Protein backbone atom coordinates (compact mmCIF):
# COMPACT_ATOMS: atom_id res chain seq x y z
CA UNK A 1 0.00 0.00 0.00
CA UNK A 2 1.44 3.39 -0.93
CA UNK A 3 2.12 5.80 1.90
CA UNK A 4 1.12 9.41 2.30
CA UNK A 5 2.52 11.56 -0.50
CA UNK A 6 3.09 15.29 -0.49
CA UNK A 7 3.91 17.62 -3.35
CA UNK A 8 5.97 19.56 -3.96
CA UNK A 9 8.80 18.45 -1.68
CA UNK A 10 10.57 21.80 -1.75
CA UNK A 11 9.31 25.28 -2.46
CA UNK A 12 10.89 28.73 -2.44
CA UNK A 13 8.64 31.78 -2.43
CA UNK A 14 8.99 35.47 -1.67
CA UNK A 15 7.11 37.50 0.90
CA UNK A 16 3.60 38.44 -0.15
CA UNK A 17 3.14 35.50 -2.51
CA UNK A 18 0.75 32.65 -1.93
CA UNK A 19 1.41 28.92 -2.01
CA UNK A 20 -0.61 25.71 -2.34
CA UNK A 21 0.60 22.40 -0.95
CA UNK A 22 -0.93 19.03 -1.76
CA UNK A 23 -1.34 15.83 0.23
CA UNK A 24 -2.59 12.43 -0.96
CA UNK A 25 -3.54 10.14 1.93
CA UNK A 26 -3.13 6.39 2.16
CA UNK A 27 -5.79 4.69 0.06
CA UNK A 28 -8.96 4.28 2.09
CA UNK A 29 -8.05 6.91 4.69
CA UNK A 30 -10.63 9.66 4.95
CA UNK A 31 -9.02 11.84 7.60
CA UNK A 32 -6.20 14.24 6.71
CA UNK A 33 -4.44 16.55 9.17
CA UNK A 34 -1.84 19.24 8.55
CA UNK A 35 1.01 20.33 10.83
CA UNK A 36 3.67 23.01 10.71
CA UNK A 37 7.12 22.19 12.07
CA UNK A 38 9.65 24.88 12.95
CA UNK A 39 12.82 24.67 15.07
CA UNK A 40 11.41 27.09 17.62
CA UNK A 41 7.80 25.93 17.98
CA UNK A 42 8.10 22.26 17.11
CA UNK A 43 5.08 20.57 15.55
CA UNK A 44 1.88 22.59 15.62
CA UNK A 45 -1.55 21.49 14.42
CA UNK A 46 -3.06 23.47 11.53
CA UNK A 47 -6.33 21.74 10.61
CA UNK A 48 -8.03 18.41 10.12
CA UNK A 49 -10.39 17.32 7.36
CA UNK A 50 -12.74 14.37 7.20
CA UNK A 51 -15.01 13.58 4.27
CA UNK A 52 -14.44 17.02 2.70
CA UNK A 53 -15.35 18.87 5.92
CA UNK A 54 -12.99 20.74 8.18
CA UNK A 55 -13.38 18.99 11.49
CA UNK A 56 -10.89 20.91 13.62
CA UNK A 57 -8.65 23.94 13.31
CA UNK A 58 -5.53 24.99 15.18
CA UNK A 59 -4.54 28.44 16.30
CA UNK A 60 -3.26 29.90 13.03
CA UNK A 61 -4.26 33.12 11.23
CA UNK A 62 -6.83 33.11 8.46
CA UNK A 63 -4.05 33.27 5.87
CA UNK A 64 -3.82 29.52 6.35
CA UNK A 65 -6.65 27.60 4.75
CA UNK A 66 -7.29 24.17 3.41
CA UNK A 67 -9.75 21.90 1.71
CA UNK A 68 -10.36 18.24 1.02
CA UNK A 69 -11.65 16.71 -2.17
CA UNK A 70 -14.03 13.80 -2.68
CA UNK A 71 -11.08 11.43 -3.25
CA UNK A 72 -9.73 12.48 0.20
CA UNK A 73 -6.77 14.38 -1.29
CA UNK A 74 -6.19 17.61 0.57
CA UNK A 75 -4.62 20.94 -0.20
CA UNK A 76 -3.52 23.73 2.09
CA UNK A 77 -3.03 27.30 1.00
CA UNK A 78 -1.06 30.09 2.61
CA UNK A 79 -1.70 33.58 1.32
CA UNK A 80 0.42 36.71 1.77
CA UNK A 81 3.48 34.73 2.83
CA UNK A 82 5.63 35.99 5.68
CA UNK A 83 9.22 35.09 6.55
CA UNK A 84 7.93 33.25 9.62
CA UNK A 85 5.95 30.86 7.44
CA UNK A 86 9.19 29.13 6.47
CA UNK A 87 8.78 25.64 7.84
CA UNK A 88 8.33 21.96 7.10
CA UNK A 89 4.65 21.30 6.43
CA UNK A 90 3.55 17.77 7.20
CA UNK A 91 0.31 16.03 6.52
CA UNK A 92 -0.97 12.88 8.16
CA UNK A 93 -3.74 10.49 7.25
CA UNK A 94 -5.78 8.16 9.38
CA UNK A 95 -8.55 5.64 8.78
CA UNK A 96 -10.11 5.61 12.23
CA UNK A 97 -8.73 8.78 13.75
CA UNK A 98 -6.46 6.54 15.75
CA UNK A 99 -3.00 5.84 14.36
CA UNK A 100 -1.67 8.70 12.25
CA UNK A 101 0.65 8.15 9.27
CA UNK A 102 2.75 11.03 8.03
CA UNK A 103 4.04 12.03 4.62
CA UNK A 104 7.60 13.22 3.85
CA UNK A 105 6.64 16.89 4.15
CA UNK A 106 7.00 20.00 2.02
CA UNK A 107 9.89 22.30 2.91
CA UNK A 108 8.74 25.90 2.34
CA UNK A 109 11.30 28.69 2.31
CA UNK A 110 10.05 32.28 2.22
CA UNK A 111 12.62 34.89 1.14
CA UNK B 1 -4.59 22.44 27.71
CA UNK B 2 -2.54 19.32 27.06
CA UNK B 3 1.22 19.75 27.28
CA UNK B 4 3.74 17.07 26.33
CA UNK B 5 7.29 17.12 27.64
CA UNK B 6 10.19 14.94 26.56
CA UNK B 7 13.32 14.47 28.58
CA UNK B 8 16.18 14.53 27.78
CA UNK B 9 16.22 16.91 24.82
CA UNK B 10 19.35 15.21 23.49
CA UNK B 11 21.15 11.98 24.28
CA UNK B 12 24.40 10.47 23.04
CA UNK B 13 25.22 6.81 23.74
CA UNK B 14 27.76 4.25 22.51
CA UNK B 15 26.55 1.51 20.21
CA UNK B 16 25.07 -1.49 21.97
CA UNK B 17 23.66 0.35 24.98
CA UNK B 18 20.08 -0.03 26.10
CA UNK B 19 18.35 3.31 26.59
CA UNK B 20 15.11 4.88 27.78
CA UNK B 21 13.40 7.96 26.41
CA UNK B 22 10.80 9.70 28.55
CA UNK B 23 7.54 11.41 27.70
CA UNK B 24 5.12 13.07 30.13
CA UNK B 25 1.73 14.65 29.51
CA UNK B 26 -0.39 16.88 31.73
CA UNK B 27 -3.91 15.62 30.96
CA UNK B 28 -4.28 11.90 31.62
CA UNK B 29 -7.62 11.67 29.78
CA UNK B 30 -6.03 10.28 26.63
CA UNK B 31 -7.20 7.33 24.56
CA UNK B 32 -3.82 6.55 23.01
CA UNK B 33 -0.19 7.66 22.71
CA UNK B 34 1.99 7.41 19.65
CA UNK B 35 5.79 7.35 19.32
CA UNK B 36 7.43 8.58 16.13
CA UNK B 37 10.90 8.74 14.67
CA UNK B 38 12.08 11.64 12.51
CA UNK B 39 15.30 11.71 10.51
CA UNK B 40 16.73 15.17 9.70
CA UNK B 41 14.56 17.04 7.21
CA UNK B 42 12.22 14.08 6.76
CA UNK B 43 8.68 13.19 7.71
CA UNK B 44 7.60 11.22 10.77
CA UNK B 45 7.66 7.44 10.90
CA UNK B 46 5.19 5.84 13.28
CA UNK B 47 6.97 3.46 15.65
CA UNK B 48 4.37 2.38 18.18
CA UNK B 49 0.79 3.19 19.10
CA UNK B 50 -0.36 2.36 22.63
CA UNK B 51 -4.06 2.35 23.40
CA UNK B 52 -5.14 3.71 26.78
CA UNK B 53 -6.22 0.20 27.81
CA UNK B 54 -2.71 -1.17 27.17
CA UNK B 55 0.32 -0.81 29.36
CA UNK B 56 2.96 -1.92 26.84
CA UNK B 57 3.56 -2.31 23.14
CA UNK B 58 6.55 -3.95 21.50
CA UNK B 59 8.05 -3.86 18.03
CA UNK B 60 11.41 -5.53 17.51
CA UNK B 61 13.99 -3.82 19.74
CA UNK B 62 11.48 -1.16 20.78
CA UNK B 63 9.20 -1.33 23.78
CA UNK B 64 6.87 1.45 24.82
CA UNK B 65 5.02 1.62 28.12
CA UNK B 66 2.13 3.82 29.20
CA UNK B 67 1.09 4.85 32.69
CA UNK B 68 -1.97 7.04 32.27
CA UNK B 69 -2.47 7.75 35.96
CA UNK B 70 0.98 9.29 36.29
CA UNK B 71 0.92 10.89 32.83
CA UNK B 72 4.04 9.12 31.62
CA UNK B 73 5.28 6.97 28.78
CA UNK B 74 8.72 5.52 28.12
CA UNK B 75 10.32 4.22 24.96
CA UNK B 76 12.94 1.56 25.58
CA UNK B 77 15.46 0.83 22.81
CA UNK B 78 17.49 -2.33 23.24
CA UNK B 79 21.00 -2.84 21.87
CA UNK B 80 21.16 0.56 20.17
CA UNK B 81 22.70 0.89 16.70
CA UNK B 82 24.04 3.90 14.76
CA UNK B 83 20.98 3.59 12.49
CA UNK B 84 18.80 4.42 15.50
CA UNK B 85 20.18 7.97 15.47
CA UNK B 86 17.21 10.28 14.92
CA UNK B 87 14.77 12.47 16.81
CA UNK B 88 12.09 10.59 18.71
CA UNK B 89 8.74 12.28 19.31
CA UNK B 90 5.78 11.28 21.40
CA UNK B 91 2.28 12.61 20.79
CA UNK B 92 -1.20 12.32 22.26
CA UNK B 93 -4.63 13.33 20.97
CA UNK B 94 -6.22 16.15 22.93
CA UNK B 95 -9.64 17.73 22.58
CA UNK B 96 -9.97 19.00 19.03
CA UNK B 97 -6.33 18.35 18.20
CA UNK B 98 -5.54 14.99 16.59
CA UNK B 99 -2.00 15.05 18.01
CA UNK B 100 -0.16 17.25 20.50
CA UNK B 101 3.58 16.71 20.23
CA UNK B 102 6.52 16.96 22.57
CA UNK B 103 9.66 18.73 21.37
CA UNK B 104 11.43 15.40 20.92
CA UNK B 105 14.62 13.71 22.07
CA UNK B 106 17.55 13.87 19.64
CA UNK B 107 19.40 10.56 19.89
CA UNK B 108 22.94 9.96 18.65
CA UNK B 109 24.34 6.42 18.75
CA UNK B 110 28.10 6.42 18.37
CA UNK B 111 29.80 3.49 16.65
Amino acid sequence: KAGVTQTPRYLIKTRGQQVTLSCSPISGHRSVSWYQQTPGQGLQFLFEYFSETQRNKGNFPGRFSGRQFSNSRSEMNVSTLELGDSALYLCASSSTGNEQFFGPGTRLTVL
Amino acid sequence: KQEVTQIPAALSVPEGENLVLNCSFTDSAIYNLQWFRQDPGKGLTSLLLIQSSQREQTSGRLNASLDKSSGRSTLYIAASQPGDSATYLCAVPSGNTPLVFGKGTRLSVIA
Side-chain angles (χ1 to χ4, degrees):
Chain A
K1 214 178 208 183
V4 178
T5 59
Q6 292 187 245
T7 57
R9 294 293 311 280
Y10 303 92
L11 212 45
I12 299 175
K13 292 286 187 179
T14 56
R15 279 180 297 174
Q17 287 187 309
Q18 74 164 16
V19 67
T20 299
L21 312 182
S22 179
C23 172
S24 293
I26 292 171
S27 178
H29 287 192
R30 295 165 65 189
S31 172
V32 173
S33 304
W34 289 88
Y35 296 82
Q36 181 196 66
Q37 186 177 31
T38 58
Q41 299 298 317
L43 277 147
Q44 293 185 289
F45 169 65
L46 282 157
F47 23 67
E48 179 189 19
Y49 287 88
F50 182 83
S51 292
E52 302 180 66
T53 300
Q54 186 179 90
R55 189 151 68 173
N56 294 301
K57 189 176 191 304
N59 189 25
F60 277 82
R63 299 185 298 107
F64 292 81
S65 63
R67 58 179 175 169
Q68 187 179 33
F69 302 95
S70 58
N71 62 358
S72 293
R73 189 177 70 85
S74 176
E75 288 181 348
M76 67 163 281
N77 184 276
V78 188
S79 62
T80 318
L81 284 166
E82 301 177 359
L83 294 178
D85 297 333
S86 294
L88 181 66
Y89 289 87
L90 294 160
C91 83
S93 77
S94 169
S95 61
T96 61
N98 216 355
E99 188 168 9
Q100 303 280 330
F101 296 91
F102 281 77
T106 294
R107 170 73 62 185
L108 172 65
T109 302
V110 182
L111 302 176
Chain B
K1 179 189 168 190
Q2 179 74 270
E3 291 183 4
V4 179
T5 303
Q6 292 187 246
I7 295 172
L11 182 62
S12 183
V13 301
E15 181 178 6
E17 267 203 12
N18 302 324
L19 58 103
V20 174
L21 307 181
N22 297 293
C23 171
S24 62
F25 44 93
T26 54
D27 183 353
S28 61
I30 62 169
Y31 56 87
N32 65 47
L33 181 145
Q34 201 166 350
W35 281 93
F36 295 90
R37 166 189 173 135
Q38 185 175 33
D39 293 290
K42 308 286 187 181
L44 276 62
T45 300
S46 179
L47 297 174
L48 290 164
L49 173 74
I50 312 178
Q51 303 292 351
S52 60
S53 57
Q54 299 174 309
R55 292 193 58 89
E56 276 190 15
Q57 192 68 261
T58 298
S59 176
R61 294 182 294 107
L62 306 180
N63 176 277
S65 68
L66 175 62
D67 184 344
K68 271 187 60 174
S69 60
S70 68
R72 292 179 183 177
S73 176
T74 61
L75 179 67
Y76 174 83
I77 303 177
S80 58
Q81 304 169 356
D84 295 331
S85 299
T87 296
Y88 291 81
L89 297 142
C90 71
V92 295
S94 176
N96 294 331
T97 304
L99 289 174
V100 175
F101 284 87
K103 292 290 177 70
T105 294
R106 191 170 66 253
L107 172 65
S108 296
V109 181
I110 312 299

